[in-house]
Amino acid sequence: MSDTVTLAAEKRERTGSRYAQRARQAGKLPAVVYGHKEEPVSVALDSKDALSHIMKGEKVFEFDMDGTKQHVILKDLGYDYLGNNIIHADFARVDLNERVDVKAHLKFVGDAKGLNTVGALMMHPNTEIELNCVVTNLPDSVEVDVSEMEVGDVIHASDVKLPLDTMKLVTDDDAIVAQIVLKALAADDDGEAS
């Protein structure tokens, strides 16, 4: 994980969709900070700054609010009705030494041997796994080597090598993350299987 990004957070005195819309029109990203047995706080972040870091995959931030700094982890994003634009974010307060459950994107690497077989397809039923790790060790992604896979092979979540020994898998061990199957042969013009 890279150095923690600091974002200026302003407390929002008024909440509700009308005020959130006004904040967005002013170039702000409405957000909520909660957790650590403290009251939730509605804040506004500089939209351009916050979204540039979020889109790069940053998950842990330091909020500077009225001179007080606190570390937070990105928990959820809200999108507009088309699902295109981020219009809201939820953050949880964290201690940099505590363990948290997070979702990590799976990055499939290598060219699977089994894909050289005619009709073979690589399936990815799950493209992310949930793991438990220290806040300072959040991975951007987890690599899964598929180069040795043949037709019929399956990689389960429990087979994925986590980046650090201190990380623990939260996802069900039997969840399938990659498999190679043969697609059914398409029928030709006469309706007979080719």
Side-chain angles (χ1 to χ4, degrees):
M1 186 181 109
S2 58
D3 292 333
T4 306
V5 173
T6 301
L7 296 175
E10 303 168 11
K11 209 173 206 177
R12 286 189 295 142
E13 298 302 327
R14 296 180 170 181
T15 59
S17 57
R18 183 171 61 181
Y19 296 108
Q21 182 62 30
R22 288 181 187 169
R24 283 190 284 276
Q25 289 170 346
K28 303 290 182 185
L29 175 66
V32 174
V33 181
Y34 58 86
H36 275 238
K37 298 179 181 164
E38 293 180 38
E39 287 293 315
V41 178
S42 295
V43 298
L45 309 170
D46 178 276
S47 186
K48 190 175 180 183
D49 189 28
L51 292 177
S52 73
H53 292 294
I54 290 169
M55 299 309 272
K56 286 180 198 165
E58 295 286 345
K59 293 181 181 77
V60 178
F61 298 90
E62 181 180 61
F63 277 5
D64 184 348
M65 190 162 40
D66 301 326
T68 303
K69 297 189 177 187
Q70 64 183 198
H71 287 95
V72 297
I73 184 170
L74 178 64
K75 290 302 261 184
D76 196 24
L77 294 171
Y79 291 84
D80 62 12
Y81 67 98
L82 292 175
N84 296 330
N85 300 309
I86 297 169
I87 61 170
H88 188 272
D90 287 349
F91 295 89
R93 297 177 186 97
V94 291
D95 177 324
L96 292 184
N97 297 316
E98 77 179 278
R99 295 184 71 88
V100 292
D101 290 350
V102 292
K103 291 186 176 172
H105 182 72
L106 295 174
K107 184 177 178 184
F108 299 97
V109 296
D111 295 320
K113 293 177 182 177
L115 291 181
N116 293 327
T117 304
V118 174
L121 291 173
M122 173 78 74
M123 309 281 288
H124 299 293
N126 292 291
T127 57
E128 62 183 17
I129 57 171
E130 191 169 7
L131 50 89
N132 178 278
C133 64
V134 176
V135 171
T136 52
N137 290 337
L138 295 181
D140 292 329
S141 61
V142 175
E143 287 193 354
V144 179
D145 185 357
V146 297
S147 56
E148 296 300 316
M149 289 185 75
E150 297 283 0
V151 173
D153 285 353
V154 176
I155 296 179
H156 294 96
S158 59
D159 300 323
V160 175
K161 171 103 173 79
L162 300 179
L164 297 171
D165 292 339
T166 56
M167 295 178 174
K168 293 182 177 83
L169 183 68
V170 175
T171 299
D172 180 359
D173 286 352
D174 295 329
I176 296 173
V177 297
Q179 66 185 105
I180 297 182
V181 298
L182 282 176
K183 66 180 177 182
L185 296 174
D188 63 18
D189 293 337
D190 296 323
E192 297 172 9
S194 51

